[in-house]
Amino acid sequence: MPSKSSLQRAAATIAQTGRSIYAKGWVPATSGNFSIRLDDDNLAITVSGTDKGRLSEADTMSINLDGHSASAKKSSAETGLHLQLYRRDPGIGAVLHTHSVNATVCSQLVADKLQFDGLELLKAFDGITSHESSLSLPVFDNTQDIEALSAQVEQHMQSSSQGHGYLIRGHGLYTWGATMSDCMRHLEALEYLLEYYLISNGVVKP
Ligand SMILES: [Zn+2]
């Protein structure tokens, strides 16, 4: 069991991050969900249906990597997508899922992925040290069958690469990082890339 203080610290970080993401308009109308790894076997995750701009400590709960919780609270319906990431990579310490307009529009413009090449901002992602790099952002079809979707994401990561994020069509964005600040940097960089995609393809006028 994770200690109460580690859950409290994680809840405070999640609440602070949530306010910042909500202010950017990326998690409207109680959408999105956020999590932080507490230890090898447990994570803290937002409770289902919470307003992400006004998260309190009570809006975050702990669950183990099998998805079980001692709490009576209900975590997001999409908890399985967080678990898939924490299970596959012990280096993942935080996961953010958002529902921005740009992520949703971009997810409907391409068949299976967005590709970004030669941009200085790619250096915002862990492991990328030069603008002479590429980042692929896969797009998966939306479904309410989260178990099937998480299996599809895992299969893609095994056959391709883990990458730094993915889109769900007509739905939103997932990204992750070693810490919440790394994860937030990835989220901001991905949102920049999505806006760049819409402008550079003439979908949106700057
Ligand atoms: Zn969602």
Side-chain angles (χ1 to χ4, degrees), residues 31-33 76 78 97-99 142 168 171-174:
S31 65
N33 34 74
S76 159
E78 292 175 48
H97 168 51
T98 53
H99 284 209
N142 196 22
I168 307 176
H171 178 161
L173 169 72
Y174 270 85

Side-chain angles (χ1 to χ4, degrees), residues 127-205:
I128 297 184
T129 55
S130 164
H131 68 281
E132 292 173 332
S133 303
S134 297
L135 183 119
S136 176
L137 192 61
V139 182
F140 301 101
D141 286 332
N142 196 22
T143 173
Q144 302 304 313
D145 187 343
I146 296 302
E147 204 178 320
L149 180 55
S150 61
Q152 195 187 350
V153 170
E154 177 60 32
Q155 197 176 29
H156 174 88
M157 289 178 169
Q158 282 179 22
S159 63
S160 180
S161 72
Q162 183 165 294
H164 295 286
Y166 63 83
L167 296 175
I168 307 176
R169 201 180 314 284
H171 178 161
L173 169 72
Y174 270 85
T175 188
W176 47 89
T179 66
M180 186 54 98
S181 62
D182 290 327
C183 193
M184 188 64 189
R185 192 182 68 249
H186 291 169
L187 177 62
E188 289 182 349
L190 286 168
E191 286 289 344
Y192 169 99
L193 293 174
L194 294 171
E195 192 174 348
Y196 165 84
Y197 182 88
L198 293 172
I199 292 173
S200 62
N201 285 278
V203 181
V204 169
K205 285 200 167 42

Side-chain angles (χ1 to χ4, degrees), residues 53-115:
R54 302 163 68 102
L55 289 172
S56 70
E57 205 177 286
D59 294 326
T60 296
M61 60 186 285
S62 72
I63 56 170
N64 69 18
L65 290 196
D66 294 326
H68 298 302
S69 174
S71 165
K73 296 172 189 166
K74 188 172 167 293
S75 66
S76 159
E78 292 175 48
T79 298
L81 295 172
H82 291 248
L83 295 174
Q84 177 265 332
L85 290 160
Y86 290 109
R87 280 189 203 128
R88 85 179 320 272
D89 182 355
I92 291 178
V95 176
L96 292 170
H97 168 51
T98 53
H99 284 209
S100 74
V101 173
N102 285 354
T104 309
V105 172
C106 285
S107 73
Q108 293 178 312
L109 294 176
V110 297
D112 58 354
K113 65 173 181 177
L114 286 97
Q115 178 82 22

